[in-house]
Amino acid sequence: NNNIIPEQITTIRVTKKSQREKLYIIEWIIAFDTESNCFHIRWKDYPPDQDTWEPKDRIVKDVPQLVKLFWKDYNTKQRRATI
């Protein structure tokens, strides 16, 4: 899959009051929903039924390079669809 990118730009940190910091790795961004303003995320080492919708602001803040790659790929596919 050409959407998979190097792990160093796909890490999200989650800290809960009762837990230590845990790192989750994004395998790829599947889609973006304009109504909810969220990205559909596939997590590395988790099955598809564990995919989640995550707020755009958080994903842009935590993994900006991944977001840039997603939009670049998305725009390329959009151009191809209109040809």
Side-chain angles (χ1 to χ4, degrees):
N1 185 330
N2 65 349
N3 290 332
I4 298 175
I5 55 137
E7 291 181 10
Q8 67 267 22
I9 64 172
T10 62
T11 304
I12 292 204
R13 293 174 177 6
V14 175
T15 305
K16 294 184 179 179
K17 291 179 183 179
S18 61
Q19 297 178 345
R20 295 181 304 172
E21 183 175 74
K22 186 170 183 177
L23 300 178
Y24 291 91
I25 298 173
I26 295 174
E27 190 168 343
W28 72 81
I29 297 175
I30 299 168
F32 181 74
D33 181 64
T34 55
E35 287 186 34
S36 65
N37 208 30
C38 290
F39 286 104
H40 189 191
I41 303 296
R42 170 76 38 92
W43 299 101
K44 184 173 178 157
D45 299 324
Y46 289 89
D49 67 346
Q50 295 293 309
D51 293 353
T52 59
W53 288 94
E54 300 294 330
K56 176 186 173 187
D57 291 345
R58 176 170 181 224
I59 299 301
V60 168
K61 178 183 173 221
D62 288 349
V63 288
Q65 295 161 319
L66 179 59
V67 173
K68 287 178 187 176
L69 289 173
F70 168 79
W71 287 120
K72 180 179 177 185
D73 185 54
Y74 177 85
N75 289 330
T76 299
K77 288 177 183 174
Q78 291 295 92
R79 279 195 298 274
R80 285 185 193 146
T82 61
I83 294 175

